[in-house]
Amino acid sequence: MNKPRPKGIARYDHPAGGWDALKAVAKTLAHQQIVAQGSRTLLKANQPEGFDCPGCAWPDPKHTSSFEFCENGAKAITWETTAKRTDASFFAQHTVSELWTWTDHQLEDAGRLTLPLRYDPASDRFEPIDWNAAFELIASGLNKLGSPDQAEFYTSGRASNEAAFLYQLFVRAYGTNNFPDCSNMCHEATSVGLPKSIGVGKGTVTLEDFDHADAIFSFGHNPGTNHPRMMTTLHDAARRNVPIIVFNPLKERALERFAAPQDPIEMVTMSSTPIASAYHQIRVGGDLAALKGLMKAVLELDTASLAGGGDGVLDRHFIDEHTSGFDGLRADVEATSWDEIVAVSGLTKEAIRSAAGIYANAERVILCYGMGITQHARGTHNVQQIANLLMLRGNIGRQGAGIAPIRGHSNVQGDRTVGITEVPNKTLLDGMERVFGFRPRSEKGHNAIEAVEAAIDGRAKALICLGGNLAVAMSDPQATFAGMRKLDLSVHIATKLNRSHLLTAKTTLVLPCLARTDLDTQASGPQSVTVEDSMSMVHASRGFLNPPGELLRSEPAIIARIARATLGDRHDIDWEGMIANYDRIRDKIEEVFPDFSDFNKRVRKPGGFRLDVAASFRRWNTPDGKANFLVSPGLSEDSPRGIQDALMLTTIRSHDQYNTTVYGLDDRYRGVFGRRDVVFMNSEDLAGRGLKDGDRIDIKGLIGGDDQHLVRRFTAVAYDIPRGSIAGYYPEMNAVMSLHHYDRLSGTPSYKGVPVRVAATSA
Ligand SMILES: Nc1nc2c(c(=O)[nH]1)N[C@H]1C(S)=C(S)[C@@H](COP(=O)(O)OP(=O)(O)OC[C@H]3O[C@@H](n4cnc5c(=O)[nH]c(N)nc54)[C@H](O)[C@@H]3O)O[C@H]1N2
Ligand SMILES: Nc1nc2c(c(=O)[nH]1)N[C@H]1C(S)=C(S)[C@@H](COP(=O)(O)OP(=O)(O)OC[C@H]3O[C@@H](n4cnc5c(=O)[nH]c(N)nc54)[C@H](O)[C@@H]3O)O[C@H]1N2
Ligand SMILES: [Mo]
């Protein structure tokens, strides 16, 4: 007999995609009141003359595709192109204290920002300010600091290459390397880990490689929700009978079965394609163990093959010619016992051996991974063990094989490429000096956590944000929010209102900017910008919608004006010229970074061009010129393990959100409707604590001591998740995290490995 489920919790039996995806888009369009314009807009996404979809960083088949339907891309676009606006009367009606009580969804749903605003503490309201006055305030705020290092310059990964390049130029000319960046909370483990392994902090595959792969491994990413256009690729691969092996604590529906909305037969017959050929429900934080288990099984297969007179299963030629460190890795993996691997990963030896068998039998393997790998206290180690596994069989730097970190924001990779980094390298410093006539400082600046820590203890006085919602995205809101409120100056260049803007400093400004879909007209006419996708393809993006208001400015234009007001004529930089025609910004990018040779010409070709990724061609930019097998001692990703009674919490995105942007309250594929105040738990873990499905519980983070990291009155949902693991939504769960729990190598918060204790809500 079926027991009644908690309110809003239901079984969802349909495949991912399909008609429900189309229905969801129709609903979003209606909610944003843009039916006619919206549908025309959707058709321009990722087209040669169109804009780059702000939804994710998955590449397009040459950006020349026929329209590829994507439910969550459609949500991202309709959210941006909404007919709703915030204007002067909106801000006159609502005090900041009142807005603070709104949900994150309500704040952004108020609509696009249309006026530059300054917070007035006397009235507790945002009031319109004119642009010149805003730039003067920022300039005087920055120029009166004791040192440029007292200012923090945050970037969220939607900024174009042009905006990001100008921003880093301004900030370096101003004199600091404090570049906290959303990447610090995302794929930093990739950016830090892979250069040591293979000499480049990016993925090595192209989209075409997927057509040639004969096995695909997927660790810790949820493509049906977060990079839905990848489903076309996985759907094609599954239909070619390419094994797709998934390691994920949750059974994500799109990885189980998917109905492609562009497939007329699947749509009409309501059928679907199974995606994963094997689904390993690993424990949260069990990847290091599983990866070592896979390598151990591959080494065992090799030994058995050699003993039987075979050639072994390792790519010995690759290992000898191209790598160093193999013996150390082998020793570490052999010293790790199966018992430990099984206990930590939660997978059986047989399951791991079977996956290793598929790996060893496949000629060409691609391994994809996302936040389930990077957001752990040892995320960098996870990434390096992935590289090791691939290197054992030479699966890097040849057709159909390679490592595929699935990036987050649509241009997070490009922002890094054009200089947003707190650790500038020599190429960047030399290039800047050659082109702009000054040598930027070389000392390491602050990453995202360090910037927040500096705000908390008073070392940082000013924060400028190029997009994003830093305070809500960061762990530990109690500590983070207090830090933001201590600042002297905070400035947000944004499209919509969010909670970070409400954490007012002595002086706070919110500056409305154009978004991807908006037409950007400058002195020389309409402008395009450029972005780089997960596979290092750079292409143009051009918006075409009338901007939401006359007063909005483009991100590059706002940055240039801040720069001019702040720097005066301290440097000979032609800010106006670059804004008049973005080709001139691209010329400067090309001068600083020779990889962008012929930038303006190459980016005008449909599909753009691929940046050089040396490891894709087996050139290893490491100190010893080899790909390096790197050892990660032990199996624990999120120490301390083994706290009595603790569960390991992972924080995930719902199907109806984009990071801190909450489009709606459903998480359809996981069977959650109309609410987000739930956590997913194994029913035996519930029973063991005297709890049951639907009970109200409190969740306490166990790092950081005391009762500081506590959230209350969440509903426990019995769910198919391994014992000892528990999952809840980001950002609600950020309150159980200590700011000090992060990967010491990359600075990435351990968002996917938080030891917690749960108990029935007491009162
Ligand atoms: N629609 C939409 N698209 C987005 C975003 C969005 O919020 N909404 N965000 C963008 C951004 S910035 C990013 S970084 C990407 C994020 O894309 P993903 O990397 O897919 O992000 P998450 O939802 O955080 O979840 C990752 C997956 O990891 C699994 N997981 C959790 N813990 C573990 C673990 O310990 N081990 C393993 N193996 N798996 C684990 C979860 O069950 C989940 O399926 O998507 C981008 N695209
Ligand atoms: N617990 C937990 N926390 C996490 C994560 C997790 O998995 N779990 N994931 C982390 C990850 S991967 C990331 S990337 C970060 C995300 O951190 P951020 O990138 O800082 O956050 P977003 O929610 O993407 O930012 C949304 C805001 O960006 C602004 N915006 C939108 N479009 C534009 C634009 O075109 N231009 C400008 N200037 N502004 C714009 C809007 O004002 C909107 O409110 O969060 C991290 N936090
Ligand atoms: Mo991200």
Side-chain angles (χ1 to χ4, degrees):
M1 200 186 71
N2 283 341
K3 282 195 244 142
R5 299 300 313 270
K7 182 163 165 278
I9 304 299
R11 266 178 82 103
Y12 183 78
D13 285 329
H14 302 202
W19 290 105
D20 287 352
L22 295 178
K23 273 191 236 154
V25 169
K27 199 168 132 191
T28 319
L29 284 168
H31 181 68
Q32 297 305 325
Q33 308 164 359
I34 45 173
V35 177
Q37 178 171 275
S39 40
R40 184 168 72 98
T41 314
L42 295 184
L43 292 170
K44 284 245 186 183
N46 297 339
Q47 295 302 303
E49 288 296 307
F51 59 88
D52 182 68
C53 177
C56 76
W58 186 255
D60 276 283
K62 302 225 174 301
H63 243 241
T64 52
S65 57
S66 56
F67 177 66
E68 219 184 337
F69 173 83
C70 168
E71 174 190 343
N72 278 358
K75 282 186 208 152
I77 293 165
T78 48
W79 192 252
E80 180 171 295
T81 58
T82 179
K84 301 180 190 181
R85 304 279 179 266
T86 60
D87 55 12
S89 69
F90 172 88
F91 288 103
Q93 266 168 45
H94 306 289
T95 62
V96 166
S97 315
E98 183 208 333
L99 292 170
W100 184 259
T101 65
W102 293 21
T103 63
D104 294 334
H105 168 80
Q106 288 168 321
L107 289 174
E108 284 208 32
D109 199 32
R112 288 286 298 273
L113 294 164
T114 58
L115 312 153
L117 299 162
R118 178 191 182 174
Y119 177 65
D120 173 32
S123 67
D124 189 29
R125 286 181 170 82
F126 276 109
E127 294 185 346
I129 178 174
D130 84 41
W131 279 107
N132 285 331
F135 294 131
E136 286 311 319
L137 266 177
I138 299 170
S140 73
L142 290 175
N143 283 329
K144 73 174 171 230
L145 296 180
S147 142
D149 291 338
Q150 292 178 334
E152 307 287 345
F153 296 87
Y154 179 68
T155 314
S156 169
R158 237 179 234 193
S160 62
N161 288 335
E162 289 72 11
F165 179 78
L166 283 191
Y167 193 54
Q168 68 83 36
L169 171 60
F170 157 55
V171 174
R172 294 207 153 90
Y174 170 69
T176 182
N177 282 316
N178 285 346
F179 284 106
D181 170 10
C182 75
S183 187
N184 297 140
M185 298 178 268
C186 183
H187 260 294
E188 194 68 4
T190 300
S191 307
V192 170
L194 283 189
K196 299 204 174 76
S197 292
I198 59 170
V200 58
K202 299 180 179 185
T204 65
V205 302
T206 64
L207 192 53
E208 290 70 38
D209 281 321
F210 283 85
D211 297 337
H212 302 280
D214 44 28
I216 298 172
F217 279 63
S218 150
F219 275 81
H221 67 114
N222 184 16
T225 290
N226 296 325
H227 15 278
R229 284 175 298 111
M230 184 183 192
M231 291 314 303
T232 312
T233 304
L234 293 178
H235 187 261
D236 288 352
R239 294 196 141 198
R240 283 186 287 116
N241 292 321
V242 171
I244 299 175
I245 315 296
V246 175
F247 291 81
N248 195 312
L250 301 180
K251 282 260 178 92
E252 305 291 20
R253 179 58 45 88
L255 288 168
E256 295 183 290
R257 49 204 163 91
F258 183 71
Q262 30 264 336
D263 182 324
I265 298 189
E266 286 187 350
M267 291 302 276
V268 170
T269 59
M270 310 264 271
S271 58
S272 62
T273 301
I275 300 294
S277 49
Y279 208 115
H280 300 288
Q281 277 185 278
I282 190 167
R283 288 178 62 180
V284 168
D287 300 275
L288 199 50
L291 288 161
K292 286 199 186 179
L294 287 167
M295 289 191 276
K296 191 173 176 75
V298 169
L299 292 174
E300 287 172 358
L301 286 171
D302 185 64
T303 308
S305 158
L306 293 177
D311 295 334
V313 303
L314 302 179
D315 183 341
R316 292 202 150 69
H317 174 75
F318 179 80
I319 294 173
D320 293 346
E321 289 283 301
H322 287 282
T323 71
S324 60
F326 173 69
D327 293 339
L329 176 79
R330 165 167 234 152
D332 174 61
V333 168
E334 286 178 350
T336 311
S337 75
W338 275 114
D339 286 350
E340 288 173 276
I341 289 170
V342 167
V344 178
S345 68
L347 302 175
T348 63
K349 186 154 85 172
E350 294 66 39
I352 296 175
R353 280 193 170 146
S354 130
I358 292 165
Y359 175 76
N361 271 324
E363 200 53 44
R364 291 179 286 269
V365 178
I366 293 178
L367 193 152
C368 313
Y369 67 92
M371 298 299 102
I373 286 290
T374 60
Q375 293 175 332
H376 290 280
R378 291 181 70 207
T380 303
H381 286 272
N382 278 346
V383 169
Q384 292 173 339
Q385 297 312 305
I386 287 179
N388 288 344
L389 173 63
L390 289 169
M391 279 150 50
L392 287 180
R393 286 186 39 81
N395 273 313
I396 292 198
R398 59 188 171 86
Q399 192 183 51
I403 189 160
I406 311 293
R407 293 275 166 174
H409 268 298
S410 49
N411 196 39
V412 60
Q413 187 162 318
D415 291 348
R416 268 272 191 277
T417 305
V418 300
I420 301 292
T421 170
E422 68 278 17
V423 261
N425 62 21
K426 191 165 175 311
T427 316
L428 175 66
L429 298 171
D430 290 350
M432 295 286 288
E433 184 171 18
R434 198 175 57 242
V435 178
F436 296 106
F438 72 95
R439 182 140 191 112
R441 289 173 60 199
S442 58
E443 301 90 333
K444 181 190 168 302
H446 291 160
N447 64 21
I449 290 211
E450 289 159 349
V452 171
E453 284 173 343
I456 292 170
D457 60 29
R459 281 174 291 127
K461 307 274 183 212
L463 169 70
I464 315 280
C465 293
L466 179 55
N469 189 1
L470 172 62
V472 178
M474 183 48 80
S475 41
D476 211 339
Q478 299 89 318
T480 301
F481 289 5
M484 300 287 160
R485 289 196 157 110
K486 282 166 69 176
L487 294 166
D488 290 342
L489 173 69
S490 63
V491 179
H492 300 276
I493 301 170
T495 52
K496 295 219 180 158
L497 190 63
N498 67 43
R499 196 166 302 282
S500 294
H501 309 163
L502 305 179
L503 291 161
T504 51
K506 286 204 189 85
T507 301
T508 293
L509 295 157
V510 176
L511 308 177
C513 67
L514 299 177
R516 282 278 169 81
T517 46
D518 297 325
L519 180 64
D520 178 357
T521 311
Q522 303 294 343
S524 69
Q527 305 296 312
S528 298
V529 293
T530 60
V531 295
E532 176 184 339
D533 65 33
S534 266
M535 296 182 188
S536 305
M537 295 293 302
V538 179
H539 45 74
S541 170
R542 176 178 292 211
F544 70 100
L545 294 176
N546 286 331
E550 304 237 305
L551 285 174
L552 284 83
R553 296 286 176 270
S554 75
E555 292 175 344
I558 295 171
I559 294 159
R561 296 286 304 275
I562 296 177
R564 235 189 32 196
T566 309
L567 302 173
D569 30 70
R570 263 191 270 162
H571 294 272
D572 183 21
I573 297 169
D574 179 15
W575 298 104
E576 281 84 13
M578 289 194 283
I579 296 309
N581 183 345
Y582 295 176
D583 278 359
R584 295 189 191 128
I585 308 180
R586 286 184 283 272
D587 286 341
K588 293 295 173 198
I589 295 179
E590 169 177 347
E591 282 181 55
V592 175
F593 304 104
D595 269 6
F596 284 88
S597 60
D598 262 340
F599 192 3
N600 275 306
K601 195 163 140 219
R602 285 198 291 164
V603 85
R604 283 183 161 77
K605 290 206 206 104
F609 62 94
R610 182 157 190 252
L611 289 170
D612 183 50
V613 176
S616 301
F617 306 95
R618 297 197 164 174
R619 300 194 317 270
W620 317 106
N621 291 333
T622 52
D624 67 358
K626 304 262 187 195
N628 284 274
F629 284 103
L630 298 171
V631 171
S632 312
L635 295 180
S636 167
E637 288 174 40
D638 302 285
S639 51
R641 267 199 175 269
I643 305 174
Q644 211 205 341
D645 212 22
L647 297 169
M648 197 56 94
L649 170 78
T650 189
T651 58
I652 51 177
R653 292 158 167 79
S654 80
H655 192 61
D656 272 5
Q657 81 182 78
Y658 194 93
N659 298 340
T660 69
T661 298
V662 177
Y663 303 130
L665 298 181
D666 294 350
D667 190 9
R668 187 169 81 237
Y669 298 148
R670 301 194 185 107
V672 178
F673 299 92
R675 61 191 299 189
R676 291 173 56 88
D677 58 344
V678 297
V679 288
F680 304 105
M681 284 181 67
N682 181 291
S683 46
E684 289 173 42
D685 284 332
L686 283 172
R689 287 163 179 74
L691 297 167
K692 57 180 188 327
D693 186 38
D695 279 357
R696 285 292 170 106
I697 58 171
D698 296 346
I699 302 145
K700 187 161 101 179
L702 299 179
I703 292 188
D706 304 332
D707 281 350
Q708 281 175 42
H709 301 107
L710 178 73
V711 296
R712 306 203 59 219
R713 303 187 67 74
F714 276 70
T715 294
V717 170
Y719 203 77
D720 183 5
I721 183 171
R723 278 204 75 170
S725 301
I726 159 173
Y729 293 122
Y730 145 53
E732 285 81 347
M733 284 297 142
N734 292 29
V736 303
M737 294 191 60
S738 157
L739 191 63
H740 306 295
H741 189 205
Y742 60 89
D743 179 8
R744 290 303 186 264
L745 295 179
S746 71
T748 313
S750 177
Y751 297 118
K752 293 207 174 18
V754 192
V756 297
R757 206 168 275 146
V758 306
T761 297
S762 40

